[in-house]
Amino acid sequence: MELITAKTAGFCFGVKRAVEQVYAQIGAGDGPIYTYGPIIHNQEVVKELEAQGVHVLAEDHLEEEEGRGRVIIRSHGVSRSVQERLAKQGYEILDATCPFVKKIHRIVSEKSAEGYKVLVAGNPDHPEVKGIIGWCSGPVRVITEPEDIEKLPDDFRSKVCVVAQTTFNYNKFKLLLAKLEKILYDRIVFNSICNATQERQVEARQVASGVDCMLVVGDQHSSNTQKLYEICLQECANTHFIETVRDLDALWFENAKRVGITAGASTPHKIIEEVQTYVREF
Ligand code: SF4
């Protein structure tokens, strides 16, 4: 059986940078270490960090927490108000927001100040999108599907700045822009979709189109892994979304001559290697 692992599988630059920042804090400095929400969408890694004294600061209960120790802001970033609240409560803030997300914060902050309304193409429930919204000082709306454009208020027809969640599907973004073009005048568009996401999606499609079984490895709560799964499923009906090697089912490989593997941006290399070993030994 031939095994093809996507080169882009696993941690992206921003996640790697954030995770490394957390590990660098272990054993250094005084006081407890927190991450603002789970550092990545991977329960295995979060559990491992907890065992080493890195606690997850509950986003919903921030006002109940005492401000002591260091808090690491994850790659998704946070809103301006969360950052200010953490500082006011006395936490030492270590900002591991991905520079690509930081750039979106800067854009929406500047454009809002110039009087632009902001449209964010993305998932309104995703922490990155909540963070982006929190850097807008004026009107802001999130759009996910083309139908959402029809529901926009009239004042969103002109002087609009469009950005995208970094992990938003590129083809969907193009679809939204094509529809927006017809109704918006005086608009500025920033394609803020991260290259890492695009490259991973393009390669996942390519690998999935040439295999008999495709494995997408990542946490069930990771939106970028979910998107990879959707893309791969379009190319290979025998595509499976797994969290760890424990989710594998031997039946999937019975008649497979070629097996492909890709993984989301928050999947540690160790987990990918375990899956590779299982498949190779099958
Ligand atoms: S996907 Fe891109 S924007 Fe998001 S954390 Fe990774 S490198 Fe940064």
Side-chain angles (χ1 to χ4, degrees):
M1 184 197 297
E2 190 185 348
L3 177 64
I4 303 160
T5 304
K7 290 186 195 76
T8 48
F11 282 179
C12 62
F13 149 78
V15 168
K16 188 166 179 276
R17 184 174 166 270
V19 172
E20 280 174 0
Q21 200 155 336
V22 175
Y23 280 102
Q25 290 303 314
I26 299 170
D30 293 325
I33 310 167
Y34 298 96
T35 59
Y36 185 75
I39 189 70
I40 53 170
H41 279 140
N42 193 291
Q43 288 169 18
E44 299 270 320
V45 174
V46 172
K47 268 190 243 160
E48 192 186 304
L49 285 169
E50 181 73 42
Q52 295 189 61
V54 180
H55 313 291
V56 175
L57 195 59
E59 296 157 67
D60 306 338
H61 300 101
L62 192 56
E63 58 287 344
E64 294 164 19
E65 302 282 344
E66 275 184 47
R68 50 203 168 79
R70 293 156 280 169
V71 59
I72 299 149
I73 308 281
R74 58 192 170 180
S75 57
H76 295 323
V78 293
S79 65
R80 191 199 296 264
S81 63
V82 166
Q83 205 164 296
E84 286 172 356
R85 197 148 39 120
L86 287 167
K88 214 168 142 195
Q89 283 181 287
Y91 288 102
E92 182 190 342
I93 300 173
L94 301 160
D95 191 358
T97 306
C98 177
F100 300 138
V101 177
K102 270 271 177 226
K103 189 177 169 192
I104 306 177
H105 292 174
R106 264 199 309 277
I107 290 169
V108 298
S109 171
E110 280 168 23
K111 291 298 154 197
S112 294
E114 288 170 22
Y116 280 84
K117 274 81 64 178
V118 174
L119 275 184
V120 185
N123 172 0
D125 299 322
H126 193 283
E128 180 191 317
V129 173
K130 289 182 183 169
I132 294 169
I133 292 171
W135 288 88
C136 300
S137 53
V140 52
R141 289 280 189 285
V142 180
I143 48 171
T144 312
E145 302 297 336
E147 301 82 78
D148 298 334
I149 294 171
E150 288 146 30
K151 296 175 204 149
L152 288 173
D154 286 345
D155 60 338
F156 269 77
R157 307 272 157 185
S158 68
K159 208 167 181 190
V160 170
C161 165
V162 187
V163 295
Q165 180 182 343
T166 54
T167 48
F168 200 64
N169 182 288
Y170 182 59
N171 290 332
K172 211 169 183 185
F173 188 52
K174 281 202 294 192
L175 211 73
L176 292 177
L177 290 180
K179 188 155 184 182
L180 283 170
E181 237 170 56
K182 293 183 190 144
I183 62 155
L184 291 187
Y185 54 97
D186 188 13
R187 63 182 181 274
I188 310 178
V189 176
F190 292 94
N191 176 3
S192 45
I193 296 175
C194 168
N195 278 345
T197 308
Q198 279 182 42
E199 283 165 14
R200 193 181 289 104
Q201 289 178 356
V202 168
E203 197 190 10
R205 187 181 291 284
Q206 198 190 345
V207 173
S209 66
V211 295
D212 311 301
C213 174
M214 185 73 194
L215 304 172
V216 182
V217 193
D219 194 281
Q220 295 290 333
H221 299 107
S222 155
S223 69
N224 76 84
T225 315
Q226 179 63 42
K227 274 169 202 153
L228 284 179
Y229 171 68
E230 286 163 17
I231 289 168
C232 292
L233 196 58
Q234 286 167 9
E235 302 298 326
C236 173
N238 191 15
T239 292
H240 305 277
F241 190 157
I242 58 163
E243 289 201 344
T244 70
V245 72
R246 293 188 292 278
D247 301 325
L248 287 170
D249 185 336
L251 280 176
W252 302 338
F253 313 112
E254 263 191 344
N255 299 312
K257 289 197 176 67
R258 304 179 91 199
V259 175
I261 299 177
T262 189
S266 36
T267 308
H269 195 60
K270 194 178 82 171
I271 294 181
I272 302 171
E273 272 180 351
E274 283 167 3
V275 175
Q276 284 174 319
T277 306
Y278 177 98
V279 177
R280 274 196 203 105
E281 289 172 0
F282 181 76

